[in-house]
Amino acid sequence: MSYKYEYPRAALTVDCVVFGLDEDDLKVLLIRRDMEPFAGRWALPGGFVHVDETLETAAMRELVEETGVQNVYLEQLYTFGDVERDPRERVVSVAYYALVKLSDHRVQAATDAREAAWFSIDDTPSLGFDHQNILATAHERLRGKVRYQPLGFELLPEKFTLRQLQQLYETILDRMLDKRNFRKKILGMGLLKELDEVETEVAHRAARLYRFDKRKYERLTKQGFNFEI
Amino acid sequence: MSYKYEYPRAALTVDCVVFGLDEDDLKVLLIRRDMEPFAGRWALPGGFVHVDETLETAAMRELVEETGVQNVYLEQLYTFGDVERDPRERVVSVAYYALVKLSDHRVQAATDAREAAWFSIDDTPSLGFDHQNILATAHERLRGKVRYQPLGFELLPEKFTLRQLQQLYETILDRMLDKRNFRKKILGMGLLKELDEVETEVAHRAARLYRFDKRKYERLTKQGFNFEI
DNA sequence: GCCTGTTAGTGTAAGTATTACACTAAGCTG
DNA sequence: CAGCTTAGTGTAATACTTACACTAACAGGC
């Protein structure tokens, strides 16, 4: 095969599935398309990859341009390459996903004035392209990942109660956890530092506050420690 | 952004990491490049994606063209998109991986007369591009996957002994397993059918032969059964 | 100030899974 | 028939998982 590419090339895009955690609801960030195809329909934020940027950079750039959401840690999900997934022409899309604290990422007016909004994960509108499929894949991956990777650092306030942390897991895993077993397990990991403070402004017994021990987390992660919940 | 793509496009390739199981050795299939860049160096089989074929089809096509190896079940690994990974121009590569029985896939003269060969996994030559990185990623993924997905169907003869199956796991996981615990676990899954036959032509006590119960396997897989070893 | 509502915080027992470990049985070979 | 090689088997100790219910603390309303 000669170097010069004789065939028409596939276009390359990135799409972002950004999950946002509300108090007790898992949401996903969507944009309303203003052009054909699927004009007026909701879709995942994303767009074409420039020739001088990495895939991850492209994903972050598109996310900011279309939704104003910044500083999220995107992880590669899967590459979707069916021939007919875009009605215009052949488009292969590398999908990324992330999980963020929703309150830190309220949608601003996006720079190109497209409409962006958070939707509850089990109440999303019908999406254009194969984005329903991408979203489902990301949701499944998120649930899988949470089982062997600890969560929280970026998803909770600096000081938080065990109840908040448990709620976070319950929201993502979409099932209830036993309070005592959860506490036993999570404290047993030794990643939380118990503080000499309790929460304030609650109309009942105040819960103790904890903080993540980030140094310990990094040490254990490097050793391949298993955080399964 | 208008429909017509104003920027130079990245080229899209696929690369294949095909692991081959020998009796007790894990190998990987490489080709020797006959063109620049990296002419004469070994590399993973792969090539450009045509505009009218899926990524998986492209991966299988390139694999056959470059190595003659056919009928392998490729699974998507990761998409590598660093800007400088190909010295010629921007090339994004979707990597696939597979695990096959080596004896079924001896390398034939490839159709385009390139040299292809199997290399022991811990004795590979230095590879061109970022293929060392792709290979390492695939190897890690393979070990991870084996832990929660049963192996075997395509990797052993139809009738096999528990010793053979255990050896297969040991080769991939690269550690010894306890014979009694292994048997307990694997038989407890109920995926093996004990036959009324023993192996022949061995210079010691002959071991019982087993066969995979494929129906049962498919049933359990659908239910999300966990096959962890 | 006391009653009520609400969440915090705690331990144990039963069951299940994991690990470590060593001998006898069978069949071939010389 | 002695010796080599691998097959085949069970148990005890330990760790992990699950299920489960009561008292403690605090705020708010009366």
Side-chain angles (χ1 to χ4, degrees), chain A residues 1-3 5 7-12 35 47-56 61-62 65 76-83 88-90 92 94 96 112 114 141, chain B residues 1-3 5 7-12 35 47-56 61-62 65 76-83 88-90 92 94 96 112 114 141:
Chain A
M1 189 185 300
S2 73
Y3 163 43
Y5 197 69
Y7 309 100
R9 286 186 172 187
L12 189 64
M35 289 183 309
F48 291 96
V49 175
H50 296 176
V51 82
D52 56 353
E53 66 185 356
T54 66
L55 298 170
E56 204 177 309
R61 177 182 52 70
E62 288 289 346
E65 284 177 13
Q76 194 180 300
L77 173 66
Y78 193 79
T79 299
F80 295 83
D82 279 359
V83 176
R88 296 170 290 186
E89 63 165 331
R90 178 69 189 285
V92 170
V94 184
Y96 281 78
D112 61 358
R114 215 167 295 185
R141 181 83 134 261
Chain B
M1 188 184 299
S2 73
Y3 163 43
Y5 197 69
Y7 310 101
R9 289 186 169 185
L12 189 64
M35 289 185 307
F48 292 97
V49 175
H50 296 177
V51 81
D52 56 354
E53 65 186 356
T54 65
L55 299 170
E56 203 177 310
R61 178 182 50 73
E62 288 288 347
E65 284 177 14
Q76 195 182 298
L77 173 65
Y78 193 79
T79 298
F80 295 83
D82 279 358
V83 176
R88 295 170 291 188
E89 63 165 331
R90 179 68 189 285
V92 170
V94 184
Y96 281 78
D112 61 359
R114 214 167 295 185
R141 180 83 134 262

